[in-house]
Amino acid sequence: METATMTPSPTTPTHAVSMDARSAPASAPAADAPPLIEIGGFSFWYGPKQALFDIDLRIRERAVTAFIGPSGCGKSTLLRCLNRMNDLIDGVRVEGSVRVQGQDLYGPDVDVVDVRKRLGMVFQKSNPFPKSIFENVVYGLRLQGVKNKGVLRDACEKALRGSALWDEVKDRIEESALSLSGGQMQRLCIARALAVEPEVVLMDEPCSALDPIATAKIEELIFQLKERFTIVIVTHNMQQAARVSDETGFFMLGKLIEFDKTDVIFTRPKQKMTEDYITGRFG
Amino acid sequence: MSSSAASTPGGAGLSPAARAGTRQNRVRTLTDRFATRFVTASGISIIAAILAILFVIAGVAWPLVLPARARALPAVVLPAGTQPLAVRVDEYREEAFVATSAGLLLVPLKGGAPSAADLPALDGATVTSARSVTGGLALGLSDGRVLPVTTAVDVTYPGGKRLLVPRVTAADPLVADPAGRPVKTFALAETPDGPLLAAAVGPREVSLDTVTETTSLIGGTTREESRQSLALGSEGDASALAVDDRGQDVFAGTTAGKVVRFDRTDASAPGLAESVPVNGDGAAVTLLGFLNGDRTLVVGDAAGRVSTWQVVKDDSGRRHLARMHDFAPHGAAVTGFSPSRRDKGFVTTDASGRTMVRYGTTGKTLLDLPGAGAAITGVTFAPKADGIAAVDAGGKLLQWDVRNPHPEVSWRTLFGKVWYEGYQKPEYVWQSTGATDDFEAKLSLTPLIYGTLKGTFYSLLVAVPLALMGALYTAQFMHPDLKALLKPTIEIMAALPSVVLGFIGGLWLAPTLERTAPGVLLMPLVIPFLTFAAIAAWTALPASWRRVIPHGYELVLLVPVVLAGGALAIWIGSGVESAALGGDYRTWLVSALGLSYDQRNSLVVGIAMGFAVIPIIFTVAEDSLASVPQGLSAGSLALGATRWQTALRVVLPTASPGIFSAVMIGFGRAVGETMIVLMATGNTPIMNSSLFSGFRAMSANIAVELPEAPEGGTLFRVLFLAALLLFGMTFVVNTAAELVRLRLRSKYRTFE
Ligand SMILES: Nc1ncnc2c1ncn2[C@@H]1O[C@H](COP(=O)(O)OP(=O)(O)OP(=O)(O)O)[C@@H](O)[C@H]1O
Ligand SMILES: [Mg+2]
């Protein structure tokens, strides 16, 4: 049913992507490819309170990496550190490094705005702007100074197709985004993030406010998106992590307890704590 | 225990805990109900209180719009054979004095028989014409004399009973025609130089009789009468005459339908200054008379038309008659006229017996009273303008009670341009009191509304940009610690009594601005320029230097920059003044732009009142900006927007309903603000958009004039009308603002 909404149209570039999405093998790309993001010895403080302790993690390109762990363990914090959204909070401090394609995110000559363009973010609570659907999708492009109506319209369609929303809204893209349903809004936020063609899409519990059908749509979408994008997703839903991700990191109390291929984490975890959490013995 | 069990009514076997739950539920329901009712009642009583105020104000202003009313009183039948010519009544309308062809008739109006007054000065002559003059009647006699008669009523209380005794005293007669021909028509005025009489005795001429009374130290008063003849030539015979009490002009209405003006500027040789056809068709002028104040000339003709005229000066300083108003015409020849002695009202009568009450300033006919059918020969407006008495050819004395307390008020006089006496053209004027008794109050609210809007405009021009930019910076960029300090400080500004602001504005700011006006006007250019320059320099500094000032504290650096900008602007201003404006900007303003500089002007008010409305606009706008959900700005930032882009593209539109309310609340505050506009403007009710002139606002006008306005008078009620207008203005603006705000809010609704 989800694939039906993604009916390929031979005239759009989405076509190739969709085809790839269906024909691509379920397994991740070669494991020995260099990682896109490399987190090394990373610690993070909110004022005096340390939220992350010495994290080491590699995120592979065109793969879905899931962060799981009990509430308050620092998943969102780490995710936000990946596009420096934490800079907005007063008194934060970082140690260690986050390298994206070898470049240190926290280096002295890094343009934060550029970082956020390259690493898009989808929030737990959908946050469409009080503007039309069209204006929401092209917001990022307008920021970059794109004015050409045709370019914007093409990009809008591409992004909406990419987020499997096109067929539902194509007749009403001038209407307010706030007239959409909760699931549609979340997919709109994904489209908005995709429109600027980021390298990485960071998703913080994107389905936590949605019903099972909307959740299933987004999971299907994630599955397709990983052909073009690198995805990092925070989730509380074990099944979701198991279904959509290639690799999973388990966090607890600000520490990365275990990080491995998803099937390894879910079938034969090395750590007792991971196993207890996955089997629902705590958390 | 389950809550459903607890709420089951009448459960006999409930556990104590369940029973406690039931009681708790009941208390909760009661509290809930009570709170709902209390809040509703409070809300309704507030609305009721506001409506009550509105009704009180409207109730006081209401009589202004009531139409004039008249009630006919029973007519008094004069003795058979009486030919009445003119009538006059006393202040209490208890005694009438009727000039008849045989002399003077005393007519008690509250019962009693008419009796003839003893007038030995008649000397056997009959009365051929009569007019009401100051203090009495004047009789034109068949022997060429004019006899002024003083009419009065003495009130005595013999035996505790009120008794009216009419008193009639004849003054020295004036001789209009030594040849002894009968006086056909005349006009008599008491000029500063002595009585002035114009009379028509012979054909095509007016005889002018001046009496000079000289009082020598010994030997008493000597009276000298001199006579001039004014030739009308081809203009026709004089059928009506008028002279003003300044002795400036003599007006003659002719049988050919013209009004001829003789200029007495050179009293020794009065010349025919102009001859104006009144209605073009040559209908004889049957009536000339002056309204109270002797400036507006009323002209009636044989066809029943009534118009008012005024001598105005044209651009070259030449005086000429100008037509002011045409009134609803009578159906028959105009026969009688009497001005109100309180205002610019008058009555005219006609040959078919109709009496009409009019108002000179408005050009309106207020009452149209039918008579008994006989031609009315004389009419008088009672001294208090509360009644009319008229005599007709049928020998009847007709009477009416008139209630018309505010004849001078109409939509035109309140809001439109009105051509007042002594003005060269119609204008908007507010001038409620004057030096002389015959002064006419000019109550146009337009200059006051204009003043209110002007003050509001200039103060919002100052306040809105400052307050909104401040709010945006505070909500989006300022460090929370600094904000916690700054926001209450600005809110305290709102608590500053406006009288203090007005005082500072009028006594310190006004003279300071007068010295530095060019510099102050340059500030809106120089300060932003210097600020941008400073910011550019700051961003060019190495990052390590910049880190000295933490994020959100950049403001601290800008304060000296802004102060320096102000000083620089004043320095440049004085430079510009001496280099380009000839050393004194005020002379330059007058010569180059034709603007005069008042010390207490709109600029002063703009700044002082701007200061008063900044806090409220700032607070409301900042609150709405700060309450834009964090998720929206985070979403924008995550898409690669800078903080400025986020503020302008997401936060500002989302907060726009609140910002709009903020501006409207500021507007409402500025419209109603009184003390500042009272103290910091000159309160001159002029209409002029210049930044450098003052104005008078409605609120200040009420504050200034209400203590002086006699209760129930026209001014009093007009001030209440102004209050109602202020109320209405704020009400309309607030309602419109609320509607727009709701629309905006549903557009920028953020689901929460
Ligand atoms: N803005 C903040 N200021 C101070 N402390 C914070 C802030 N945000 C999060 N924290 C703290 O950092 C720790 C990690 O929070 P984080 O939001 O990353 O947890 P999480 O794993 O995402 O939890 P959840 O699953 O509930 O979303 C928590 O102890 C939290 O209290
Ligand atoms: Mg979280």
Side-chain angles (χ1 to χ4, degrees), chain B residues 412-435:
Chain B
R412 267 280 297 289
T413 55
L414 287 177
F415 301 105
K417 280 189 173 176
V418 177
W419 195 352
Y420 287 107
E421 284 182 348
Y423 284 71
Q424 305 309 320
K425 58 180 194 310
E427 271 175 62
Y428 300 108
V429 192
W430 174 277
Q431 192 184 0
S432 59
T433 46

Side-chain angles (χ1 to χ4, degrees), chain A:
Chain A
M1 181 206 143
E2 279 76 19
T3 47
T5 63
M6 286 293 295
T7 310
S9 143
T11 56
T12 61
T14 329
H15 169 61
V17 174
S18 318
M19 291 305 287
D20 284 351
R22 255 179 281 163
S23 57
S27 66
D32 54 343
L36 182 70
I37 304 175
E38 209 174 349
I39 302 168
F42 190 80
S43 298
F44 185 87
W45 286 264
Y46 287 111
K49 181 175 177 286
Q50 188 165 4
L52 294 175
F53 296 83
D54 199 22
I55 309 284
D56 286 292
L57 194 75
R58 287 146 178 267
I59 293 170
R60 282 188 297 115
E61 202 172 353
R62 296 188 193 211
V64 178
T65 305
F67 292 170
I68 59 170
S71 190
C73 66
K75 309 179 293 286
S76 299
T77 302
L78 181 58
L79 197 72
R80 283 202 301 268
C81 284
L82 297 183
N83 73 344
R84 296 193 56 173
M85 287 296 281
N86 275 333
D87 287 20
L88 302 170
I89 300 165
D90 217 47
V92 298
R93 193 158 63 83
V94 298
E95 246 172 44
S97 73
V98 177
R99 292 183 182 280
V100 178
Q101 287 177 334
Q103 185 203 10
D104 190 358
L105 268 192
Y106 285 86
D109 51 351
V110 169
D111 180 3
V112 180
V113 166
D114 188 55
V115 167
R116 293 186 190 141
K117 265 182 234 161
R118 290 170 56 196
L119 293 98
M121 191 161 201
V122 176
F123 297 80
Q124 174 173 6
K125 209 163 136 268
S126 63
N127 53 357
F129 303 130
K131 299 171 186 278
S132 68
I133 293 170
F134 176 76
E135 285 301 328
N136 262 279
V137 177
V138 302
Y139 182 85
L141 293 172
R142 282 204 193 276
L143 290 177
Q144 294 170 16
V146 181
K147 291 211 171 67
N148 187 314
K149 259 274 174 193
V151 173
L152 291 176
R153 207 168 297 126
D154 291 347
C156 173
E157 181 176 341
K158 186 176 166 197
L160 285 173
R161 282 190 194 281
S163 68
L165 194 59
W166 177 252
D167 290 322
E168 288 160 71
V169 302
K170 64 178 177 223
D171 300 325
R172 44 190 277 222
I173 57 169
E174 291 303 332
E175 273 175 41
S176 169
L178 303 174
S179 64
L180 297 175
S181 75
Q184 287 172 328
M185 282 194 206
Q186 193 61 297
R187 278 181 283 148
L188 177 67
C189 291
I190 295 173
R192 193 170 71 182
L194 298 184
V196 291
E197 299 282 342
E199 292 159 36
V200 182
V201 180
L202 308 170
M203 299 183 174
D204 192 351
E205 301 185 43
C207 304
S208 65
L210 303 181
D211 66 86
I213 293 176
T215 303
K217 276 194 182 171
I218 289 186
E219 284 179 13
E220 168 77 8
L221 178 60
I222 292 169
F223 198 72
Q224 289 164 359
L225 288 177
K226 78 171 182 189
E227 295 309 317
R228 284 164 64 211
F229 304 99
T230 304
I231 293 170
V232 185
I233 179 169
V234 170
T235 179
H236 272 284
N237 183 329
M238 295 306 125
Q239 288 78 22
Q240 186 170 64
R243 277 196 301 268
V244 300
S245 69
D246 302 305
E247 289 182 302
T248 299
F250 172 62
F251 292 78
M252 229 175 97
L253 297 172
K255 294 189 177 97
L256 178 62
I257 305 298
E258 191 171 350
F259 182 70
D260 212 327
K261 289 224 162 52
T262 298
D263 53 352
V264 175
I265 292 281
F266 279 90
T267 51
R268 38 186 201 285
K270 296 189 183 70
Q271 302 287 330
K272 174 89 170 59
M273 260 191 284
T274 314
E275 189 179 349
D276 286 352
Y277 182 72
I278 285 164
T279 52
R281 246 162 280 173
F282 77 92

